[in-house]
């Protein structure tokens, strides 16, 4: 009997806790419903440390644009000075008070710059695509686009893709001049991230699939799913009528697909999930076994392997230029 009373008491306390935290138990809606707002960054910009000053003549007056949490920065490339900053935030009240669960927040993803404008996705409490004037950060337009910023595990899927006066972000094609939605695709299971445009076809991925859609209508041309349904691991590459992408553990590998049909051309025997680079006839990518591989782009045959002397596996980013390969692991190589 005593145990039964204890259980009843505990159950009552749990019900009271749920009533205080669960929106379903709220009897009064918030007086100020939450809204997404854009404002000049109230925070002080991060301090800049210059270790080796660059002569003004050595680098053009470029600007670096980057998202950091809820802020979007424009930085002078030579000095690191903040030129402008925009912040996205949520104002208002949520039905669940306190921290049960914590209220959502907004984050800017990696931006894309084209024709004097900066395009960026901000998501967390819904997904919105923003267009800013590159020179001074003035808002040009904003659209609820259902884009989804995510840096887990390694990539940002929400980078806008800009081409021929259109911004592709989330499942939508947006007119670059004013953000008007031209079409919405049903490709992808819940969301899709477009990453390449070639020959009138958009290529991207969702959680499990690589997809190709018609650039004019958003209609699905083909879809490919890895045999063990492992998710794509990083941004795909489209070149020479092929689509290259790596997948995550378990069963990670590097794949090459026929760009026109989506049929499998080859699959590597090496685990792969890091970023990849295509230089000439070779594909270079980071591996889950803490290595970097070079394989033939047309067959996947291994050309060479370099293993990191560090024993700790890390995310690998690979890029190349002018005959050199640059790799970021536990250090830069």
């Amino acid at each position: 009997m005593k145990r039964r009373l204890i259980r009843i008491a505990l159950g009552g306390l749990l019900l009271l806790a749920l009533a205080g935290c669960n929106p379903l138990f709220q009897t009064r809606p918030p007086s100020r419903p939450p809204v997404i707002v854009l404002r000049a960054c109230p925070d002080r910009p991060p301090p800049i440390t210059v270790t080796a000053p660059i002569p003004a003549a050595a680098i053009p007056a470029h600007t670096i644009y980057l998202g950091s949490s809820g802020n979007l920065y424009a930085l002078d490339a030579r000095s690191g000075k903040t030129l402008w900053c925009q912040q996205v935030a949520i104002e208002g009240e949520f039905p669940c008070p306190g921290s049960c669960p914590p209220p959502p927040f907004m984050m800017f993803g990696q931006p894309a710059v084209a024709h004097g404008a900066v395009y960026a996705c901000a998501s967390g409490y819904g997904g919105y695509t923003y267009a800013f004037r590159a020179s001074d950060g003035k808002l040009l337009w904003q659209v609820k686009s259902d884009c989804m910023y995510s840096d887990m595990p390694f990539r940002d899927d929400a980078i806008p893709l800009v081409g021929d006066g259109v911004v592709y972000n989330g499942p939508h094609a947006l007119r670059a001049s004013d953000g008007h939605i031209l079409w919405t695709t049903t490709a992808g299971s819940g969301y899709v991230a477009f990453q390449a445009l070639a020959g009138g076809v958009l290529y991207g991925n969702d959680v499990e699939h690589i997809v190709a859609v018609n650039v004019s209508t958003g209609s699905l041309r083909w879809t490919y799913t890895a045999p063990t349904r492992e998710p794509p691991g990083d941004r795909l590459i489209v070149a020479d009528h092929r689509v290259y992408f790596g997948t995550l553990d378990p069963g990670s590998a590097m794949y090459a697909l026929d760009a026109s049909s989506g049929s499998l051309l080859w699959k590597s025997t090496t685990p792969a999930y890091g970023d990849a680079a295509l230089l000439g006839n070779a594909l270079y990518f980071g591996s889950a076994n803490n290595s970097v591989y070079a394989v033939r782009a047309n067959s996947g045959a291994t050309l060479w392997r370099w293993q990191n002397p560090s024993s700790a596996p890390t995310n690998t980013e690979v890029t190349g230029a002018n005959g050199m390969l640059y790799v970021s692991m536990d250090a830069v190589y």
Side-chain angles (χ1 to χ4, degrees):
M1 180 69 177
K2 185 176 181 180
R3 289 183 179 177
R4 184 179 180 186
L5 291 175
I6 292 174
R7 289 176 181 172
I8 292 174
L10 290 175
L13 290 174
L14 178 61
L15 185 62
L16 287 174
L18 289 173
C21 294
N22 195 322
L24 295 177
F25 289 87
Q26 296 296 311
T27 57
R28 188 172 55 188
S31 58
R32 293 191 306 127
V35 293
I36 307 299
V37 297
L38 190 71
R39 59 197 180 197
C41 298
D43 305 325
R44 297 181 61 183
I48 302 298
T49 300
V50 179
T51 57
I54 302 174
I59 182 172
H62 290 313
T63 303
I64 299 172
Y65 302 92
L66 61 98
S68 177
S69 187
N71 294 347
L72 183 69
Y73 291 97
L75 307 176
D76 182 275
R78 287 186 294 203
S79 65
K81 177 185 177 181
T82 299
L83 301 177
W84 57 260
C85 177
Q86 290 280 10
Q87 183 180 80
V88 64
I90 306 173
E91 291 184 352
E93 301 174 358
F94 286 87
C96 180
S99 58
C100 47
F105 53 91
M106 298 294 290
M107 295 182 68
F108 271 117
Q110 180 178 333
V113 185
H115 308 298
V118 180
Y119 304 95
C121 168
S123 67
Y125 186 64
Y128 298 81
T129 301
Y130 291 87
F132 302 95
R133 192 161 60 197
S135 59
D136 58 7
K138 175 182 172 59
L139 178 66
L140 301 176
W141 52 260
Q142 66 185 62
V143 174
K144 189 177 188 307
S145 62
D146 303 313
C147 60
M148 186 186 302
Y149 166 76
S150 172
D151 60 355
M152 296 297 290
F154 306 125
R155 65 175 185 265
D156 176 5
D157 276 337
I159 306 173
L161 177 64
V162 186
D164 298 328
V166 181
V167 179
Y168 306 95
N169 204 209
H172 306 294
L174 311 171
R175 193 161 55 203
S177 59
D178 58 8
H180 174 73
I181 297 177
L182 301 174
W183 54 252
T184 301
T185 185
T186 57
S189 53
Y191 83 99
V192 62
F194 294 117
Q195 302 171 40
L197 170 60
V201 180
L202 284 165
Y203 301 90
N205 71 278
D206 64 6
V207 176
E208 292 184 338
H209 314 91
I210 303 296
V211 299
V213 305
N214 187 291
V215 72
S216 300
T217 63
S219 58
L220 182 67
R221 294 174 66 98
W222 56 257
T223 181
Y224 179 84
T225 307
T228 54
R229 305 187 75 86
E230 62 267 27
D234 219 305
R235 299 189 65 79
L236 55 82
I237 297 174
V238 179
D240 301 325
H241 306 289
R242 304 186 190 102
V243 179
Y244 303 97
F245 71 99
T247 57
L248 298 173
D249 289 328
S252 63
M254 180 63 69
Y255 292 81
L257 309 177
D258 181 276
S260 61
S261 65
S263 59
L264 179 65
L265 298 176
W266 55 259
K267 172 187 174 182
S268 74
T269 58
T270 57
Y273 60 74
D275 209 2
L278 183 67
L279 294 175
N281 297 319
L283 184 70
Y284 305 87
F285 57 88
S287 170
N289 60 12
N290 219 25
S291 300
V292 175
Y293 284 90
V295 303
R296 295 190 186 279
N298 61 353
S299 66
T302 301
L303 296 171
W304 54 257
R305 173 193 177 190
W306 175 80
Q307 187 166 16
N308 188 350
S310 171
S311 59
T314 58
N315 176 33
T316 303
E317 300 292 334
V318 178
T319 188
N322 301 323
M324 294 293 294
L325 194 67
Y326 302 91
V327 181
S328 175
M329 299 176 84
D330 60 322
V332 178
Y333 297 88

